[in-house]
């Protein structure tokens, strides 16, 4: 999967596959790729025999809410009764319950929990992760979350890309003045930039949260401060968030389940990548999974992610999301693999180092208990990762139980 730039439109159906290959790794990077018979002349301190298994780049997780306190299993019954998420939010549940738990959790508790979830991601073949804040909704807790992400990146082998999502919801005491809350979040930009706590700034543009105009002003202020931009857009209501993502030059527009025809056309003619989150539709029991098929046909570059979070997509297993993408979004295996590797890497600003196996790149590689790339989305709900290599080092190896 060696291609410069994201893979767009119909090109996503063209997956380069090679057989009987060998990879040479030195200093954490890929230094040689060739036929297995040619590798016999190489010297090595360690040889890993894939034994005919599928070998791919490490998966790239382009959209997670990694750091949070508590859990929300009690809300599952409400979802089963058909209570809409926005109604749960109005009742003080949903994100607001996680906000309270995150505010009350200590830095150490949040760090331990984040490392636990990163371990699970790693064992499922993920080698690069985007992680958002957004469960503070006030200065101290937002900074606490970002500092947890920063420390987790030091302690864990996975590469972590940090995103500031302070504008994730409107706190109750700002219900009648969301502009004032956004201004409070803007006041954090300088400190976040100075301490290198986040690379991107994100906002939730949705009915009952932030309008397109509010989001535009907020994102442009972030851009002026030197941040890359992301946006939660067109998840529930088609407000024009997809168009806004393109307008402000966001690196990605995420969710996009109800993107308009105009939004899809603009996305296809831009550098912005659409990050599709089918696990959210699945977990919320929705019938409409979005317009990913139409987006690809129009020429968009798409990535796929878990949207790992405690309320609407409670899984670290990107392999499961690949199966949901096949079954519900009707994407082909080839399109899915592009969406969880090269395109996902470009969606978080890591297209030059993650998502492909190529000489000079980081040696982020997964050996799968699968005979070919078709098998992973086909055999759903389990972990197919046999060996996960990050920066040339084995960080996970499946153990036999016999």
């Amino acid at each position: 999967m060696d291609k410069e730039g994201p893979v767009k439109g119909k090109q996503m159906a063209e997956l380069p596959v090679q057989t009987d290959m060998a990879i040479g790794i030195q200093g954490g990077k890929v230094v040689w790729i060739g036929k297995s018979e040619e590798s016999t002349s190489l010297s090595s301190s360690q040889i890993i025999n894939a034994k005919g298994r599928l070998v791919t780049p490490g998966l790239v997780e382009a959209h997670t809410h990694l750091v949070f306190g508590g859990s929300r299993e009690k809300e599952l019954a409400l979802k089963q009764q058909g209570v809409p998420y926005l109604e749960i939010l109005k009742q003080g549940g949903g994100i607001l319950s996680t906000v309270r738990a995150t505010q009350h959790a200590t830095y150490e508790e949040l760090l331990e929990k984040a490392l636990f979830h990163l371990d699970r991601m790693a064992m499922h073949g993920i080698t690069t992760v985007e992680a958002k804040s957004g469960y503070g909704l006030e200065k101290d807790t937002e900074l606490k979350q970002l500092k947890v992400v920063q420390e987790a990146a030091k302690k864990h082998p996975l590469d972590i890309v940090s995103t500031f999502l302070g504008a994730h919801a409107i706190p109750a005491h700002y219900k009648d003045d969301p502009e004032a809350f956004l201004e409070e979040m803007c006041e954090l930009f300088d400190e976040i930039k100075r301490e290198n706590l986040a690379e991107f700034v994100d906002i939730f543009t949705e009915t009952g949260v932030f309008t397109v105009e509010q989001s535009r002003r907020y994102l442009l202020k972030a851009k002026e401060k030197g941040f890359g931009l992301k946006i939660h857009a067109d998840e529930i209501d088609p407000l024009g968030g997809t168009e806004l993502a393109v307008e402000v030059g966001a690196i990605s527009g995420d969710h996009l389940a109800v993107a308009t025809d105009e939004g899809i056309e603009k996305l296809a003619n831009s550098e912005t990548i659409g990050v599709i989150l089918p696990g959210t539709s699945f977990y919320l029991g929705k019938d409409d999974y979005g317009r990913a098929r139409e987006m690809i046909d129009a020429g968009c570059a798409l990535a796929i992610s878990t949207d790992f979070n405690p309320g609407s997509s409670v899984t670290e297993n990107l392999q499961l999301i690949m199966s949901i993408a096949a079954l519900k979004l009707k994407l082909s295996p080839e399109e899915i693999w592009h969406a969880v590797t090269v395109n996902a890497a470009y969606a978080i600003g890591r297209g030059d180092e993650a998502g492909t196996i190529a000489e000079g790149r980081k040696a982020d590689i997964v050996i799968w208990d699968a005979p070919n790339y078709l098998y992973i989305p086909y055999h759903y709900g389990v972990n197919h990762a046999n060996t996960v290599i990050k920066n040339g080092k084995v960080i996970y190896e499946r153990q036999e139980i016999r």
Side-chain angles (χ1 to χ4, degrees):
M1 301 182 192
D2 183 14
K3 178 179 176 62
E4 293 298 326
V7 185
K8 301 187 72 171
K10 294 180 180 179
Q11 290 181 338
M12 290 184 66
E14 302 170 4
L15 188 68
V17 178
Q18 301 184 64
T19 59
D20 194 28
M21 300 296 291
I23 301 169
I25 299 171
Q26 186 176 44
K29 293 189 175 182
V30 174
V31 296
W32 182 87
I33 301 174
K35 286 292 185 180
S36 295
E37 65 220 31
E38 300 171 346
S39 68
T40 56
S41 61
L42 303 177
S43 61
S44 177
S45 60
Q46 181 183 12
I47 297 175
I48 299 176
N49 188 344
K51 299 179 180 179
R53 296 183 177 96
L54 171 69
V55 177
T56 75
L59 304 184
V60 178
E61 176 55 273
H63 182 126
T64 82
H65 301 259
L66 176 68
V67 180
F68 59 88
S71 60
R72 283 156 49 186
E73 62 273 18
K74 293 180 181 179
E75 290 180 17
L76 181 58
L78 294 176
K79 294 184 177 75
Q80 290 172 323
Q81 295 166 22
V83 179
Y85 173 72
L86 292 180
E87 180 60 32
I88 294 174
L89 189 64
K90 289 179 182 178
Q91 296 175 12
I95 184 178
L96 297 181
S97 63
T98 299
V99 167
R100 290 190 293 271
T102 305
Q103 289 174 344
H104 293 143
T106 66
Y107 172 90
E108 291 75 19
E109 289 169 340
L110 291 176
L111 177 60
E112 181 180 2
K113 197 170 188 295
L115 292 172
F116 172 81
H117 293 307
L118 287 169
D119 283 347
R120 277 198 172 160
M121 291 178 185
M123 68 186 290
H124 283 90
I126 293 168
T127 53
T128 302
V129 179
E130 186 261 9
K132 304 179 190 295
S133 68
Y135 292 125
L137 305 187
E138 49 85 20
K139 292 181 178 180
D140 290 344
T141 307
E142 287 294 324
L143 291 174
K144 179 173 64 173
Q145 283 187 271
L146 293 175
K147 289 175 181 178
V148 166
V149 172
Q150 187 179 63
E151 185 63 19
K154 296 176 183 177
K155 291 182 175 296
H156 204 278
L158 298 195
D159 286 328
I160 306 176
V161 177
S162 181
T163 297
F164 173 51
L165 181 58
H168 195 189
I170 303 173
H173 57 287
Y174 277 111
K175 182 179 179 181
D176 297 323
D177 195 359
E179 296 281 0
F181 173 67
L182 288 177
E183 185 58 37
E184 180 179 319
M185 293 298 99
C186 286
E187 291 172 1
L188 290 174
F189 288 167
D190 287 337
E191 182 173 355
I192 292 170
K193 178 62 71 172
R194 184 173 60 252
E195 298 189 24
N196 196 29
L197 293 175
E199 185 173 340
F200 296 98
V201 167
D202 198 344
I203 189 169
F204 190 12
T205 305
E206 187 54 74
T207 301
V209 194
F210 302 105
T211 68
V212 168
E213 183 54 39
Q214 289 168 340
S215 299
R216 177 183 293 108
R217 289 195 295 269
Y218 182 77
L219 290 172
L220 289 178
K221 288 180 181 179
K223 191 172 187 177
E224 289 175 359
K225 294 293 185 179
F227 291 100
L229 306 182
K230 289 178 165 288
I231 179 172
H232 282 57
D234 294 337
E235 177 183 1
I236 301 171
D237 293 325
L239 303 183
T242 306
E243 294 92 323
L244 178 61
V246 174
E247 176 192 331
V248 299
I251 196 168
S252 71
D254 298 33
H255 285 289
L256 312 188
V258 293
T260 64
D261 290 345
E262 180 182 0
I264 291 174
E265 181 181 358
K266 289 186 175 181
L267 189 68
N269 292 298
S270 75
E271 299 300 316
T272 300
I273 294 176
V275 180
I276 309 301
L277 309 169
T280 306
S281 298
F282 172 80
Y283 192 76
L284 294 178
K286 293 186 176 182
D287 295 325
D288 187 358
Y289 278 74
R291 307 179 67 186
R293 176 80 274 140
E294 294 166 84
M295 289 177 174
I296 291 178
D297 291 344
C300 299
L302 296 188
I304 294 171
S305 168
T306 61
D307 188 20
F308 171 64
N309 73 81
S312 60
S313 188
V314 198
T315 183
E316 301 95 331
N317 186 356
L318 187 53
Q319 298 168 49
L320 173 61
I321 304 305
M322 293 168 71
S323 295
I324 295 173
L327 296 170
K328 298 297 185 180
L329 294 176
K330 309 302 181 184
L331 300 189
S332 70
E334 295 82 3
E335 291 165 339
I336 291 167
W337 277 104
H338 281 306
V340 297
T341 54
V342 57
N343 282 4
Y346 277 98
I348 58 173
R350 294 298 183 271
D352 59 346
E353 61 183 58
T356 66
I357 298 175
E359 292 181 10
R361 295 282 189 118
K362 289 185 176 183
D364 294 354
I365 297 167
V366 181
I367 302 172
W368 303 91
D369 283 321
N372 54 62
Y373 70 89
L374 303 169
Y375 193 85
I376 307 300
Y378 151 76
H379 187 165
Y380 73 97
V382 299
N383 183 15
H384 295 285
N386 177 280
T387 305
V388 180
I389 300 168
K390 176 63 186 175
N391 291 328
K393 296 182 179 180
V394 175
I395 62 171
Y396 170 77
E397 199 166 9
R398 185 178 63 80
Q399 301 299 314
E400 301 284 354
I401 304 175
R402 293 178 183 172

